[in-house]
Amino acid sequence: GLGAHRLYARFDLLAYNPQDGDMVIVDWKTMRLERPLGEGFWRDRIQTRLYLFVLATAGAAFLNGQAPDPDRCAMHYWLANRPDSPWVCLRYSRGAYERDHHWLQRLIADIAQRKDQSQFGQTDDLTQCAVCAYRLLCRPDVTRADLLTLNDDTDIPLVDIESAPELEY
């Protein structure tokens, strides 16, 4: 955790190579994307930053009490609906770990000082709505058509649940 606050991350898969000390989080995504997303999109995701930070901070639980070196941590996204290029592989580093530590401290402090739900305003940035699982609850007025009118240069996934094929596991 960070101070009095706990962080929670549930990995799809955590792999460890005892020969070199590498620890890799594998997370699979089954969303259908209208276009490929750049590495920056995946690296800047809260999920990526939080998962890698939690692994580097609490990974000792998997290593008999020895904390993993952030430089030996990575996160790999497997994009199930992208057979032509299914992997996005992101390495972590000591510098990224320290940056994420400060960023998470500020984020948690900001959340903790808010008194009630009214202090959490809706964003005007529809690119945030495009990737938010709560869009239909928070912004039901934002339609798929609205999202499609966004600038083509933005790296956002446009998920079309209706046309997503069911995957067997």
Side-chain angles (χ1 to χ4, degrees), residues 10-150:
R10 184 174 176 176
F11 309 139
D12 288 344
L13 174 70
L14 178 61
Y16 173 64
N17 182 342
Q19 294 174 335
D20 61 15
D22 280 356
M23 294 187 83
V24 177
I25 301 164
V26 179
D27 189 84
W28 37 89
K29 299 293 182 203
T30 56
M31 59 189 171
R32 181 175 297 276
L33 304 175
E34 298 287 330
R35 62 176 178 263
L37 301 171
E39 182 180 304
F41 169 84
W42 299 102
R43 185 169 301 285
D44 293 338
R45 287 175 58 98
I46 289 177
Q47 179 185 17
T48 305
R49 294 177 73 180
L50 177 67
Y51 278 27
L52 285 168
F53 179 82
V54 167
L55 176 60
T57 301
F62 300 105
L63 300 175
N64 297 321
Q66 173 131 10
D69 179 354
D71 290 320
R72 306 302 311 175
C73 297
M75 184 153 180
H76 295 188
Y77 285 101
W78 176 61
L79 310 175
N81 291 328
R82 284 274 192 219
D84 55 324
S85 57
W87 291 101
V88 176
C89 300
L90 306 166
R91 300 254 354 135
Y92 208 40
S93 68
R94 171 69 51 194
Y97 175 80
E98 291 171 7
R99 179 198 72 210
D100 289 344
H101 184 252
H102 295 297
W103 172 74
L104 284 164
Q105 283 179 318
R106 288 190 310 272
L107 183 62
I108 289 170
D110 178 54
I111 293 168
Q113 61 87 27
R114 295 172 190 251
K115 303 289 184 233
D116 60 48
Q117 185 178 356
S118 68
Q119 293 183 315
F120 291 91
Q122 290 179 333
T123 183
D124 292 324
D125 179 3
L126 292 185
T127 61
Q128 297 299 312
C129 296
V131 296
C132 181
Y134 303 101
R135 177 176 53 88
L136 293 176
L137 298 172
C138 172
R139 294 291 300 269
D141 58 309
V142 177
T143 67
R144 179 167 170 72
D146 294 331
L147 298 174
L148 289 172
T149 63
L150 295 173

